[in-house]
Amino acid sequence: MKKVIYLLLLVLVIGCKPDIEVIKEPNVYEKLGIKDYEQIIRHPVSLDSIMDSSQWSQIKFEENEFDFDTVYQGEVIKKSYKFTNSGSKPLYILDTRVSCGCTITEYDESAINPDETGAIEVEFDTKGKSGNQNKSIIVLSNSRPNEDRLFMKGFVKIKN
């Protein structure tokens, strides 16, 4: 019994070595080269005043829903969701979140100045999919509101 306990302790001590290096992914602020969120996220409100919308960045998509109609299984659907910063402050796309691993996004992490345009590129891989498909993409930014949703929908046929 003592041998089993000593063996378990030995395994525990060896398995918990502190010399393992942890690789840290840079957060969005480090990627943008800023020190803290206050440089890009503005909350233009105080207790004694109403919200000052002149201090916002504002994202406005040309369209937020794309219907790819009917495609065959295995095709990759590509869509560019174009947007404009209709606010008065620089706009930053902070992150995107997709509804499944079959959908990927790509976007520029640099500032989009007022009245400038940008795009979020979306690819949906239909491999292994069939029937009606509804995919959503959540876009997080420093605009007000800071969360927008994009959609892709259509029908995937199985090849005969």
Side-chain angles (χ1 to χ4, degrees):
M1 182 68 172
K2 282 185 178 182
K3 288 182 181 180
V4 173
I5 292 174
Y6 286 128
L7 181 62
L8 287 174
L9 285 173
L10 180 65
V11 169
L12 182 65
V13 169
I14 292 173
C16 295
K17 288 181 118 180
D19 61 347
I20 298 173
E21 184 179 331
V22 176
I23 299 172
K24 182 184 170 203
E25 286 288 322
N27 65 31
V28 69
Y29 307 119
E30 292 168 344
K31 288 180 185 177
L32 295 173
I34 61 174
K35 292 185 172 122
D36 62 32
Y37 74 93
E38 290 177 353
Q39 289 179 279
I40 60 170
I41 297 178
R42 294 169 187 82
H43 300 285
V45 66
S46 69
L47 293 175
D48 59 353
S49 68
I50 60 171
M51 289 186 173
D52 181 5
S53 62
S54 68
Q55 298 300 309
W56 296 346
S57 54
Q58 184 71 42
I59 191 167
K60 182 165 176 55
F61 285 94
E62 289 179 7
E63 63 179 328
N64 67 344
E65 188 172 302
F66 174 61
D67 185 347
F68 58 83
D69 198 29
T70 302
V71 296
Y72 284 102
Q73 190 177 64
E75 292 182 38
V76 176
I77 310 301
K78 296 180 182 183
K79 173 66 177 163
S80 180
Y81 290 92
K82 295 178 178 23
F83 62 86
T84 302
N85 177 3
S86 59
S88 62
K89 300 294 180 185
L91 171 71
Y92 293 91
I93 304 297
L94 303 174
D95 197 9
T96 58
R97 297 185 182 148
V98 295
S99 58
C100 92
C102 58
T103 308
I104 60 172
T105 62
E106 187 176 315
Y107 55 90
D108 189 358
E109 294 179 349
S110 60
I112 308 294
N113 289 318
D115 298 322
E116 288 186 355
T117 60
I120 297 175
E121 306 297 328
V122 179
E123 287 187 14
F124 166 49
D125 187 353
T126 64
K127 181 180 177 182
K129 304 291 181 188
S130 64
N132 285 320
Q133 300 295 313
N134 293 295
K135 303 300 170 193
S136 64
I137 302 98
I138 297 173
V139 179
L140 301 172
S141 69
N142 68 323
S143 70
R144 179 134 175 100
N146 70 337
E147 183 177 296
D148 290 275
R149 291 183 187 266
L150 306 173
F151 302 94
M152 292 182 94
K153 65 180 184 175
F155 188 82
V156 178
K157 280 185 171 182
I158 298 174
K159 290 182 182 179
N160 292 336

